[in-house]
């Protein structure tokens, strides 16, 4: 099953209309329990249901993420998704945005304590970019392409957004798959991104939102091979095609 998504502005229905089935108190309690279990690092023994947005680098995942959450995530021509990002949307009487970092369980305890100490609250999405940069620094990620420091991390950035019109939804955005090492991205980084993706999509209760760009050849879409390997029947995979408007009208690729 696939869904075609185009970048140009299109009329959008209110988020509460799109996901009215998730608005009950019972559904909210279930989602909150799942979120709490996920924070306890129980994934190795207990498979938790989750929506995961995955795909190749520059496949258009940011556009899909904005369409699903109605949150204006920062965009950059450079690699900007350097870790898994958990977006928690909850219905509440007032607007609130809380950002924190869940450290990788394999880090030394001193590093975990340092990372867990990071927690910020904002009231305006304009501040989201600067806070994400602070979180990136806290994880020890250097965004300078000339630096020899690691460019990605297994830590998870958690963004909890509450408001009266927010749906009750939790999803995870993964770093885009990289085909080869480049300036600022080592072979170890390429492997780390692959490991992060494999970790999430291999879990039996994960629904994979596999994002592919219409402008990229089918054979080059590495995410398709990966989801087919872990979900051969396609029971928990939804393909999302982005940028169909970028193809030349009447061309063979269209």
């Amino acid at each position: 099953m696939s869904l075609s998504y185009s970048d140009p502005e299109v009329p959008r229905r209110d988020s509460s209309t799109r996901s009215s089935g998730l608005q009950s108190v019972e559904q909210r309690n279930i989602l909150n329990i799942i979120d709490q279990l996920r924070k306890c690092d129980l994934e190795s023994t207990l498979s938790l249901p989750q929506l995961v947005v995955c795909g190749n680098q520059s496949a258009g995942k940011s556009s899909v993420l904005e369409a699903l959450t109605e949150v204006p995530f920062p965009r950059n021509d450079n690699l900007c998704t350097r870790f898994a990002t958990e977006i928690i949307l909850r219905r509440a009487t007032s607007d609130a945005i809380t950002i924190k970092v869940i450290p990788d369980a394999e880090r030394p305890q001193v590093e975990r304590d340092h990372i867990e100490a990071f927690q910020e609250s904002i009231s305006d999405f304009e501040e989201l970019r600067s806070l994400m940069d602070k979180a990136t620094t806290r994880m020890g990620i250097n965004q300078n392409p000339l630096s020899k420091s690691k460019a990605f991390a297994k830590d998870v950035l958690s963004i909890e957004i509450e408001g009266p019109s927010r749906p009750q939804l939790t999803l995870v955005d993964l770093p885009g798959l990289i085909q080869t090492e480049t300036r600022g991205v080592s072979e170890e980084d390429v492997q780390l991104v692959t490991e992060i993706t494999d970790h999430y999509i291999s879990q039996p209760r994960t629904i994979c939102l596999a994002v592919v760009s219409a402008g990229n050849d089918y054979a080059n879409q590495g995410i398709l091979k990966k989801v087919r390997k872990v979900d051969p029947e396609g029971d928990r995979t939804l393909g999302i095609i982005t940028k169909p408007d970028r193809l030349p009208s009447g061309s063979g690729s269209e």
Side-chain angles (χ1 to χ4, degrees), residues 34-35 38 43 48-55 61 64-65 68-69 73 81 83-89 102 154-159 169-176 196-197 199-201 203 205-211:
I34 292 172
D35 291 338
R38 184 174 291 112
E43 293 179 350
L48 300 173
Q50 59 189 346
L51 286 172
V52 169
V53 181
C54 52
K61 294 192 297 92
V64 173
L65 207 58
L68 290 172
T69 65
F73 287 96
T81 306
F83 36 75
T85 303
E86 179 185 64
I87 300 99
I88 303 170
L89 303 177
I102 304 171
K154 287 186 177 181
D155 308 306
V156 179
L157 178 68
S158 176
I159 304 176
L169 177 69
T170 300
L171 53 84
V172 181
D173 178 42
L174 301 182
I196 293 173
T197 301
H199 168 72
Y200 279 93
I201 68 174
Q203 297 177 37
R205 291 186 178 177
T206 291
I207 296 178
C208 304
L209 304 183
V211 181

Side-chain angles (χ1 to χ4, degrees), residues 165-237:
S165 63
R166 296 293 173 188
Q168 293 170 182
L169 177 69
T170 300
L171 53 84
V172 181
D173 178 42
L174 301 182
L177 291 171
I178 310 169
Q179 301 302 315
T180 184
E181 59 182 297
T182 59
R183 188 179 69 163
V185 179
S186 66
E187 182 60 36
E188 289 76 15
D189 291 325
V190 175
Q191 181 60 33
L192 179 59
V193 172
T194 298
E195 291 176 3
I196 293 173
T197 301
D198 290 343
H199 168 72
Y200 279 93
I201 68 174
S202 62
Q203 297 177 37
R205 291 186 178 177
T206 291
I207 296 178
C208 304
L209 304 183
V211 181
V212 297
S213 171
N216 194 0
D217 189 84
Y218 180 87
N220 297 329
Q221 306 280 358
I223 191 59
L224 297 179
K225 180 179 179 180
K226 285 187 170 296
V227 294
R228 190 177 294 115
K229 181 178 180 180
V230 298
D231 181 31
E233 301 299 325
D235 294 330
R236 55 184 184 85
T237 300

Side-chain angles (χ1 to χ4, degrees), residues 39 41 100-103 109-119 138:
K39 293 172 184 176
D41 296 325
K100 55 187 175 182
V101 181
I102 304 171
Q109 188 61 47
V110 173
E111 292 184 8
R112 295 189 63 181
D113 292 341
H114 175 67
I115 292 174
E116 286 179 337
F118 178 87
Q119 180 168 325
R138 182 63 67 102

Side-chain angles (χ1 to χ4, degrees), residues 52-63:
V52 169
V53 181
C54 52
N56 286 26
Q57 176 190 343
S58 302
K61 294 192 297 92
S62 296
S63 298

Side-chain angles (χ1 to χ4, degrees), residues 77-95:
D77 291 336
N78 300 319
L79 293 173
C80 57
T81 306
R82 299 175 180 271
F83 36 75
T85 303
E86 179 185 64
I87 300 99
I88 303 170
L89 303 177
R90 292 293 180 269
R91 177 159 291 191
T93 55
S94 59
D95 292 319

